[in-house]
Structure formats: C-alpha cells, structure tokens
Amino acid sequence: MKEIEGDSGAVKAETCDECRSYAKMLYQSQDANLDPFADDLATLGLDLLVAEAGWARHAPNPLLLLASSGDDSS
C-alpha cells in the first residue's frame, strides 16, 4: 500500500508488483465523510506518486466515466 505521508490514511493505493498496476482504495473507517468522486479527484497527488514509481492505474474511477446515451432525439 502506498499513501501520502502526513495524510489521514483514508485513501491509499494498493499496488500489484506482478502487473505493475494499482487501485485507489478509500477507507470510510478512517473518514466517514469520504466522497468517492471528490476524494478521487482530491488525491491526484497519490496518483502522481505511484505513477512516478512505475505503476499504472488499473481502471479509472467509474464515477468519472460519462455514460453515452446514444440517443440524439433532442
């Protein structure tokens, strides 16, 4: 697990040495007010830290993906 020093420890990056990827983990037991959307964006420094160490994000935050309606009937 990677985290930013001095932070609350509520958001960490779990790394996999085999595939060199990471997943960002949010721990509500550390901070009951965590918001997956806002705290993912607020911890971009953690993304930079693990990216500089050679890991790639396993998948984007699903809450940041925009749904395509495919319907242009407006």
Side-chain angles (χ1 to χ4, degrees):
M1 292 274 194
K2 307 289 184 198
E3 62 184 294
I4 297 177
E5 288 184 37
D7 198 29
S8 69
V11 181
K12 298 180 182 181
E14 183 175 337
T15 58
C16 174
D17 289 331
E18 187 175 317
C19 66
R20 300 298 293 171
S21 68
Y22 73 95
K24 200 181 289 186
M25 310 299 280
L26 286 76
Y27 295 92
Q28 284 189 312
S29 61
Q30 298 289 335
D31 183 352
N33 295 316
L34 279 176
D35 177 275
F37 182 80
D39 287 304
D40 183 51
L41 293 176
T43 56
L44 290 177
L46 180 59
D47 291 301
L48 293 173
L49 179 72
V50 293
E52 288 175 356
W55 283 279
R57 189 153 179 176
H58 174 66
N61 181 335
L63 298 175
L64 298 178
L65 298 176
L66 297 175
S68 175
S69 69
D71 183 13
D72 284 340
S73 62
S74 48

